[in-house]
Amino acid sequence: MEQFFIFVGVLVCLAYLVKCMRFAKCIFLHFWKVSPRSFLQSMGQWAVITGAGDGIGKAYSFELAKHGLNVVLISRTVKKLQAIATEIEQTTGRSVKIVQADFTKDDIYEHIQENLKGLEIGILVNNVGMLPNLLPTYFLDTPDEIQSLIHCNMTSVIKMTQLILKQMESRRKGLILNISSGTALFPWPLYSLYAASKAFMCTFSKALQVEYRAKGIIIQVLTPYGISTPMTKHININIITKSADEFVQESLNYVTNGDENCGCLAHEILAGFLHLIPSWVFYSSACQSFLLNQYTDYLKQNIHTK
């Protein structure tokens, strides 16, 4: 028994050592500001970004174009895509292709596939998503958009990955970034539906990485917390809440740093802190009451519409 407990202790120490090394690497990459330009360009000529009309998707579109890739912008609103495409072409000189698609529907993928024919796609950013309730809300009180959320947050990831992964597999290179959420890391009461959909993305991404990493393909899931975007009603930026541009610029430094990360150092620290809270505390009635009251008040004071 003594040898067994020594063995278990060694395994625990090794596990924490790996976590510390991963965190140290995040700190190094945060301050070193490694430019991934050559690496990103080596993946292929084109990057495809879903939900490119706003927020994180728009920021990835500009950033990847600045790194020398042509970009395919996919979103629902054509006018937004046209304006973004014009600005990208004028500021970066890269080629831009736009595809109109409503990801709350499930009959759009043949149309998308037709528009992607003939393109050497090296990067896919599965960013599109919807948040039914920014304020903490009980499941039965959330808007009745369940099917739309499933299509947008889950079906889109499966279908877009299926379309593009085939080409990446034949070329034996590619990068897929799946934008999940910090709420995916453990169950979040009062955000139950959204958190569950993002947890699916996490599990799906990490399983695929095991299947395809030997074929030269990187599949990474990002689990950020607060990002100021139209979906979060432009919540005020602070040391934790990042702008979409800040988050995207930093996240690209971590594209080779494991199959999952938060995308920025501040959120890695926050995630580490939250994991120290015992589950019985987090799921207690007092904590849920805090979320429903103090956290709701904080959100109301810090969000605004443009």
Side-chain angles (χ1 to χ4, degrees), residues 71-84:
V71 291
V72 180
L73 315 179
I74 310 179
S75 190
R76 179 169 53 186
T77 308
V78 172
K79 285 187 177 180
K80 285 184 179 179
L81 293 180
Q82 290 173 336
I84 294 168

Side-chain angles (χ1 to χ4, degrees), residues 137-153:
T137 310
Y138 285 105
F139 171 67
L140 292 179
D141 297 329
T142 57
D144 189 18
E145 301 175 323
I146 294 175
Q147 197 60 57
S148 294
L149 181 140
I150 290 172
H151 285 322
C152 193
N153 292 11

Side-chain angles (χ1 to χ4, degrees), residues 97-116:
K97 185 178 179 68
I98 65 173
V99 180
Q100 182 186 22
D102 182 354
F103 285 100
T104 63
K105 314 296 182 185
D106 64 350
D107 58 354
I108 60 174
Y109 296 98
E110 286 187 12
H111 168 67
I112 293 174
Q113 186 175 25
E114 284 295 317
N115 281 273
L116 297 181

Side-chain angles (χ1 to χ4, degrees), residues 52 54-64 244-246 248-249:
D54 279 311
I56 293 174
K58 179 181 176 181
Y60 269 112
S61 302
F62 274 93
E63 198 63 26
L64 290 172
D245 290 338
E246 288 174 332
V248 167
Q249 289 168 13

Side-chain angles (χ1 to χ4, degrees), residues 15-240:
Y16 275 96
L17 179 61
V18 169
K19 287 185 178 182
C20 289
M21 291 175 64
R22 178 173 170 271
F23 185 68
K25 189 175 181 181
C26 287
I27 295 175
F28 173 78
L29 291 171
H30 173 80
F31 290 105
W32 189 255
K33 303 291 183 185
V34 176
S35 174
R37 183 183 180 92
S38 59
F39 171 79
L40 294 174
Q41 288 182 349
S42 72
M43 294 293 101
Q45 297 179 358
W46 288 83
V48 175
I49 304 98
T50 66
D54 279 311
I56 293 174
K58 179 181 176 181
Y60 269 112
S61 302
F62 274 93
E63 198 63 26
L64 290 172
K66 289 176 184 176
H67 281 79
L69 286 97
N70 302 319
V71 291
V72 180
L73 315 179
I74 310 179
S75 190
R76 179 169 53 186
T77 308
V78 172
K79 285 187 177 180
K80 285 184 179 179
L81 293 180
Q82 290 173 336
I84 294 168
T86 299
E87 188 175 353
I88 289 175
E89 289 171 343
Q90 290 176 348
T91 57
T92 69
R94 307 308 305 176
S95 298
V96 182
K97 185 178 179 68
I98 65 173
V99 180
Q100 182 186 22
D102 182 354
F103 285 100
T104 63
K105 314 296 182 185
D106 64 350
D107 58 354
I108 60 174
Y109 296 98
E110 286 187 12
H111 168 67
I112 293 174
Q113 186 175 25
E114 284 295 317
N115 281 273
L116 297 181
K117 280 185 177 178
L119 302 182
E120 183 190 76
I121 299 169
I123 299 175
L124 167 63
V125 182
N126 279 315
N127 161 75
V128 69
M130 60 182 291
L131 174 65
N133 52 296
L134 178 60
L135 302 180
T137 310
Y138 285 105
F139 171 67
L140 292 179
D141 297 329
T142 57
D144 189 18
E145 301 175 323
I146 294 175
Q147 197 60 57
S148 294
L149 181 140
I150 290 172
H151 285 322
C152 193
N153 292 11
M154 299 168 66
T155 306
S156 67
V157 180
I158 298 170
K159 291 289 191 178
M160 290 303 301
T161 301
Q162 187 179 40
L163 287 179
I164 293 174
L165 186 59
K166 293 177 183 178
Q167 184 193 125
M168 290 180 173
E169 183 182 23
S170 65
R171 295 173 51 241
R172 300 192 68 82
K173 65 170 61 177
L175 169 65
I176 299 177
L177 298 177
N178 291 331
I179 314 303
S180 180
S181 165
T183 61
L185 299 179
F186 49 88
W188 276 74
L190 307 176
Y191 290 99
S192 54
L193 184 60
Y194 176 76
S197 70
K198 292 300 184 177
F200 162 80
M201 184 184 285
C202 253
T203 302
F204 179 67
S205 301
K206 290 191 280 188
L208 280 187
Q209 177 63 109
V210 173
E211 293 180 21
Y212 287 94
R213 64 187 169 199
K215 299 182 179 181
I217 300 167
I218 296 174
I219 301 170
Q220 185 182 82
V221 61
L222 301 175
T223 54
Y225 286 91
I227 307 292
S228 182
T229 67
M231 189 174 77
T232 58
K233 300 188 185 303
H234 303 283
I235 188 170
N236 291 334
I237 296 168
N238 53 43
I239 192 170
I240 296 296

